[in-house]
Amino acid sequence: MHSTQAVECRGFDRPDDVREFEHGRAEVLEMAGGTIGRLVLHPGWQWSKDVKPIAGTDWCEAPHFQYHVSGTLHVKMSDGNEFDVGPGWVSSLPQGHDAWVVGDEDVVLVDWYGASEYAKRS
């Protein structure tokens, strides 16, 4: 028995889209009918300073389901809940949050849910 579904193997070295913003970038792959993104966030990055001007909303309205490859990200939810997320963790963030890089290491995230519209200029 064989599969009729096509195999896709790709790397972020050749993304379909790269969205640059202050202190970071989003690299986006379109594959298997879906979108996956890798966010590379440099020290000094904060959503409310670097992406909010692009999004035009008070809080990040992109829900995320992401794997944290490296670095530490501090997340503040619109309800006031705050926490840190680091390497090896998986996070599911609903709409309504801000976040920033903690320390001097790049934060690298692989996002299966929020990448399609993240930091997309209109």
Side-chain angles (χ1 to χ4, degrees), residues 19-31:
R19 301 174 194 150
E20 303 272 350
F21 42 83
E22 193 71 28
H23 297 105
R25 68 185 179 278
E27 303 161 340
V28 180
L29 294 176
E30 303 286 343
M31 7 182 347

Side-chain angles (χ1 to χ4, degrees), residues 55 69 91:
V69 177
S91 62

Side-chain angles (χ1 to χ4, degrees), residues 73-120:
L73 190 69
H74 185 83
V75 179
K76 180 177 182 178
M77 302 302 297
S78 60
D79 66 4
N81 187 20
E82 295 189 47
F83 50 92
D84 286 343
V85 186
W89 286 68
V90 175
S91 62
S92 175
L93 301 178
Q95 296 173 314
H97 56 273
D98 189 8
W100 54 90
V101 172
V102 175
D104 58 3
E105 182 182 358
D106 283 354
V107 169
V108 178
L109 308 163
V110 177
D111 194 343
W112 284 274
Y113 193 70
S116 61
E117 298 299 318
Y118 190 82
K120 197 174 208 178

Side-chain angles (χ1 to χ4, degrees), residues 12-97:
F12 283 104
D13 57 332
R14 298 185 65 176
D16 294 307
D17 191 12
V18 177
R19 301 174 194 150
E20 303 272 350
F21 42 83
E22 193 71 28
H23 297 105
R25 68 185 179 278
E27 303 161 340
V28 180
L29 294 176
E30 303 286 343
M31 7 182 347
T35 304
I36 184 169
R38 178 170 69 176
L39 303 179
V40 179
L41 311 172
H42 305 302
W45 177 87
Q46 182 169 359
W47 183 89
S48 57
K49 293 178 183 172
D50 299 323
V51 183
K52 180 179 180 174
I54 298 167
T57 57
D58 289 336
W59 296 90
C60 180
E61 297 299 326
H64 301 283
F65 183 52
Q66 53 200 6
Y67 174 73
H68 297 254
V69 177
S70 65
T72 300
L73 190 69
H74 185 83
V75 179
K76 180 177 182 178
M77 302 302 297
S78 60
D79 66 4
N81 187 20
E82 295 189 47
F83 50 92
D84 286 343
V85 186
W89 286 68
V90 175
S91 62
S92 175
L93 301 178
Q95 296 173 314
H97 56 273

